[in-house]
Amino acid sequence: MIKPLKKAVLPVAGLGTRFLPATKAMPKEMLPVVDKPLIQYAIDEAREAGIEEFCLVTGRGKDSLIDYFDIAYELEATLRERGKKSALEALAPSSVQAGSLVAVRQQEPLGLGHAIWCARSFIGDDPFAILLPDDIVKGRSCIGQLVETYNKTGGNVVAVTEVPPEHTNRYGILDVGSDDGKLVEVKGLVEKPAPEEAPSNLSIIGRYVLTPDVMKYLAKLERGAGNEVQLTDAMAKTIGEVPFHGLRYEGTRYDCGDKAGFLEAQIAFSIDREDLGDSVKAFLKKYKQYVDAP
Ligand code: UTP
């Protein structure tokens, strides 16, 4: 029987070095795309998939992420007093049901695999989703699409996309079995392979649905690429033990852990908004000369 998926783990303990100095005193996951912090996009996407239990894996200097989901009594009272209805409405998605969001501490950023292992008490014996908040996907809930697949196939399901072959050394890469153009059977996984050693150019993005089988391998805390405990290595060990699929999701992913991806997301998430679209189009025209310059 396929156990229903109700839990999501959101690892937010990374150092965010690519965004220094902005992330010196502020978590990367609180950086806004237009007017919403990255973490809110991940929570909204998970909620759209019917997930209502969240675990943030935090680290030093990340307390503002917890505060973000608290009730801001003074702010709300002031807004109410001043009749600022739309500002109050904007706060609504950041409220969570009491007891539905927990946080665990990853004392040292020893890698994504280690971060997930830190959530072991929350996960228990249940299937769980992982959303890396620095990846945001525009379109229908990406994790929702994985959950739909999981409900049919069971086992592990990861979101995958083709990357330029010369970039395989930045991602977890799939060794592909059968492939119907949308759903692929995962035969193997390699973390950050050199282009000449990569089994394909199909990479995992920051969305996963996993069964708890992966936890026994994470518990070994074996170090992999970059001397970090790699989630990819532990997932690879479950191949053959549980069904394992990659889903070419619908939607566009923006890698907001990277400066260029973060900037592109600002445009993508504002250009079709009623309140901002015209201004964004007007200012983009101003930069056309730079685009056209030889
Ligand atoms: P990244 O690989 O983007 O690392 O982590 P990072 O530290 O956040 O950023 P850079 O590379 O230094 O700029 C991907 C996700 O995994 C989490 C991060 O918070 C991010 O959501 N993570 C990573 C942890 O929670 N713990 C870790 O030890 C490593």
Side-chain angles (χ1 to χ4, degrees), residues 43-160:
I43 295 282
D44 290 350
E45 186 185 320
R47 280 183 173 148
E48 202 183 318
I51 298 169
E52 280 296 344
E53 287 176 54
F54 304 102
C55 177
L56 301 185
V57 183
T58 71
R60 279 165 60 81
K62 301 276 183 166
D63 292 352
S64 61
L65 279 159
I66 315 283
D67 293 340
Y68 176 78
F69 291 104
D70 220 337
I71 295 175
Y73 285 108
E74 283 177 15
L75 174 64
E76 289 180 27
T78 310
L79 293 177
R80 223 169 281 124
E81 225 169 76
R82 296 184 184 172
K84 302 259 185 203
K85 203 166 159 263
S86 62
L88 271 169
E89 278 166 14
L91 289 177
S94 63
S95 79
V96 292
Q97 204 200 354
S100 66
L101 184 137
V102 299
V104 297
R105 197 85 162 183
Q106 185 191 24
Q107 286 89 346
E108 284 179 280
L110 299 179
L112 179 57
H114 182 259
I116 301 303
W117 178 73
C118 289
R120 61 196 178 281
S121 298
F122 169 80
I123 294 166
D125 204 19
D126 292 320
F128 60 103
I130 303 174
L131 296 95
L132 306 189
D134 46 7
D135 264 342
I136 56 178
V137 183
K138 195 159 189 282
R140 196 159 71 85
S141 170
C142 180
I143 204 73
Q145 296 175 50
L146 298 191
V147 173
E148 281 165 22
T149 304
Y150 161 81
N151 286 338
K152 292 180 205 143
T153 60
N156 298 333
V157 189
V158 293
V160 297

